[in-house]
Every structure is written in structure tokens, then in C-alpha cells.
């Protein structure tokens, strides 16, 4: 059953609907290099449906018998006002806050789809493919361009990111996205993963931190 709601730092539900998730691929140079992809001249976009959302504080469920399911930890931006062909000034006023989400990816499925020139949804948009943290209100965020985040798997550092290393900044991404998709209150923008993507295994213990704001412990089942 689908029960996800956006929640705030205190665990209270945020008064916004649950909308689409617009995801950005290839936004950190070192991650582009680890998968031998080309550097994009404009953001690479894809969408996950609302049914991809689930709470990160609950166990992360990985699909079985479909090959490796990779972690991609990303800064998630929660939108509170409609944005269409928006300017950066409009965008700052339209962000509710930021959190962290996992863009779970069936890597072999994605590679096969890529090789056929097909869309990626079967690899990235399945149910519960987007476990999501609480959101920190924008008023509590000092700088969108200096957000540190990390993923530890079984106490070993796997991903370490900082928003200053993005090829396209959060504001540039949202501006660019709003030229193609109108963003509505309750939509989420996933801003791309830093390097360190690798398979998750049943039984893995995860620790996910947005530095200065929160740390979440969860596991993989
Ligand atoms: Zn991703």
C-alpha cells in the first residue's frame, strides 16, 4: 500500500501533496567518469512517479533477481509553489526545503535499456525506488551551494558529496527543469549523485547524513 507523505525535521507531515520526482543524471564530474559517460551540455532529466517514494527511515527494499541495485544518494529539493519557465529569484521563493533521497538504480537493467536507446523507467522508477528523508526547511539552510552529505554502508564511507561540486547548481537545475516540466507544490527535484555508486545487498546497514542537519540509520532488505 502506498502511504508516503513529506515530513519535516520534527517528523511532522508537511502540508503539501505528493507529486512527481524530476531526477537529474550526470551532475557530478567524478560520477560521470566512474560510469564512462559523456559530460552533458544541458541537464539530463528523467521522472520517477509518486509511487517510487517511500520513507528512508524504514528499511530500503531492493528488487530481487534483476541484477545489481545501486545506491545513488542525492540532494532532494521539495517545491512548494508552481514554477514554469522560472527565474532564479522565483525559484528561491518556491523551495520548501532540502533533504536526501536514494535514486535506486538497477544498473544492468539500465545498461541494457541504454544500449537499446530505450527509456530508463524499468531500471529507476519501480515501486519504492526513491526512499526519501525528512526535509529541512529552507530557512534553516545556510547555503544551497555548500551542502555536505554522505552515505556509509556497514560503517564504511561509500559516497561523499557537496553541492558545490555540481555541474549545474540547484537553482540552475530547477530553472532549466521548469522550462520543460511545470513544477507543482509537492514535487521533488533529485539533483544527481556524486561518485561511489555500487550494489546494495540485503542486510547492509546504511547511515545517511546531511551534515549539520540530520543522520538516518536504516537497512536493506
Ligand atoms: Zn541518480
Amino acid at each position: 500500500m502506498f502511504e508516503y507523505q513529506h515530513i519535516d525535521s520534527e517528523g511532522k507531515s508537511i502540508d503539501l501533496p505528493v507529486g512527481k520526482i524530476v531526477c537529474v543524471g550526470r551532475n557530478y564530474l567524478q560520477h560521470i567518469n566512474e560510469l564512462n559517460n559523456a559530460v552533458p551540455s544541458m541537464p539530463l532529466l528523467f521522472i520517477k512517479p509518486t509511487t517510487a517514494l517511500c520513507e528512508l527511515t524504514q528499511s530500503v527494499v531492493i528488487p530481487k533477481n534483476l541484477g545489481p541495485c545501486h545506491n545513488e544518494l542525492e540532494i532532494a529539493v521539495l517545491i512548494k509553489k508552481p514554477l514554469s519557465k522560472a527565474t532564479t529569484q522565483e525559484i528561491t521563493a518556491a523551495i520548501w526545503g532540502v533533504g536526501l533521497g536514494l535514486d535506486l538504480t538497477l544498473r544492468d537493467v539500465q545498461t541494457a535499456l541504454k544500449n537499446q536507446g530505450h527509456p530508463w523507467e524499468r531500471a529507476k522508477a519501480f515501486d519504492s525506488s526513491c526512499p526519501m528523508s525528512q526535509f529541512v526547511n529552507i530557512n534553516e539552510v545556510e547555503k544551497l551551494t555548500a551542502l555536505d552529505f554522505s552515505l556509509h554502508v556497514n560503517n564504511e564511507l561509500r559516497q561523499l558529496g557537496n553541492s558545490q561540486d555540481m555541474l549545474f547548481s540547484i537553482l540552475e537545475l530547477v530553472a532549466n527543469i521548469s522550462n520543460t516540466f511545470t513544477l507543482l507544490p509537492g514535487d521533488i527535484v533529485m539533483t544527481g549523485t556524486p561518485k561511489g555508486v555500487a550494489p546494495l545487498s540485503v542486510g547492509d546497514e546504511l547511515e545517511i547524513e546531511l551534515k549539520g542537519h540530520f543522520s538516518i540509520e536504516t537497512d536493506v532488505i
Side-chain angles (χ1 to χ4, degrees):
M1 195 174 22
F2 182 69
E3 289 184 329
Y4 173 86
Q5 275 196 301
H6 307 301
I7 53 172
D8 67 16
S9 297
E10 275 141 34
K12 295 198 193 104
S13 68
I14 297 170
D15 189 21
L16 286 172
V18 176
K20 63 184 172 293
I21 310 149
V22 182
C23 300
V24 174
R26 304 177 193 169
N27 200 27
Y28 290 84
L29 195 57
Q30 289 180 326
H31 169 63
I32 293 169
N33 292 338
E34 77 179 340
L35 294 183
N36 291 317
N37 285 317
V39 177
S41 56
M42 61 189 234
L44 186 162
L45 304 180
F46 58 97
I47 283 186
K48 292 188 192 238
T50 56
T51 43
L53 288 165
C54 59
E55 282 184 23
L56 192 50
T57 48
Q58 314 216 327
S59 296
V60 172
V61 182
I62 55 172
K64 310 298 184 293
N65 306 316
L66 290 169
C69 182
H70 279 195
N71 55 270
E72 292 194 2
L73 185 66
E74 313 192 0
I75 294 172
V77 180
L78 178 62
I79 303 295
K80 67 177 177 187
K81 288 184 185 164
L83 287 173
S84 178
K85 302 182 171 49
T87 62
T88 47
Q89 290 89 332
E90 290 172 305
I91 292 163
T92 317
I95 293 177
W96 191 95
V98 296
L100 293 174
L102 277 172
D103 169 20
L104 294 178
T105 303
L106 292 165
R107 193 66 69 196
D108 288 357
V109 175
Q110 185 196 25
T111 302
L113 292 168
K114 266 191 199 169
N115 290 342
Q116 295 171 88
H118 290 176
W120 298 352
E121 276 81 350
R122 288 185 191 279
K124 280 182 170 282
F126 52 88
D127 286 357
S128 301
S129 59
C130 198
M132 189 61 58
S133 75
Q134 65 267 50
F135 288 92
V136 177
N137 193 272
I138 190 80
N139 299 326
E140 292 157 36
V141 177
E142 211 172 305
K143 261 176 139 185
L144 284 177
T145 49
L147 291 168
D148 267 304
F149 59 104
S150 63
L151 167 67
H152 283 79
V153 180
N154 303 323
N155 294 317
E156 274 183 35
L157 181 65
R158 181 169 291 185
Q159 291 196 276
L160 181 64
N162 187 299
S163 54
Q164 74 187 3
D165 298 324
M166 291 178 174
L167 295 178
F168 302 97
S169 72
I170 289 175
L171 294 186
E172 287 170 339
L173 285 175
V174 176
N176 185 284
I177 289 167
S178 80
N179 274 289
T180 298
F181 308 109
T182 296
L183 291 167
L184 293 174
D187 286 353
I188 290 173
V189 173
M190 292 276 279
T191 57
T193 189
K195 73 167 178 178
V197 303
L200 293 169
S201 304
V202 171
D204 282 347
E205 303 279 343
L206 310 183
E207 188 186 339
I208 288 167
E209 183 179 14
L210 183 60
K211 202 172 168 190
H213 294 290
F214 63 75
S215 176
I216 295 171
E217 286 179 22
T218 186
D219 63 347
V220 177
I221 60 173

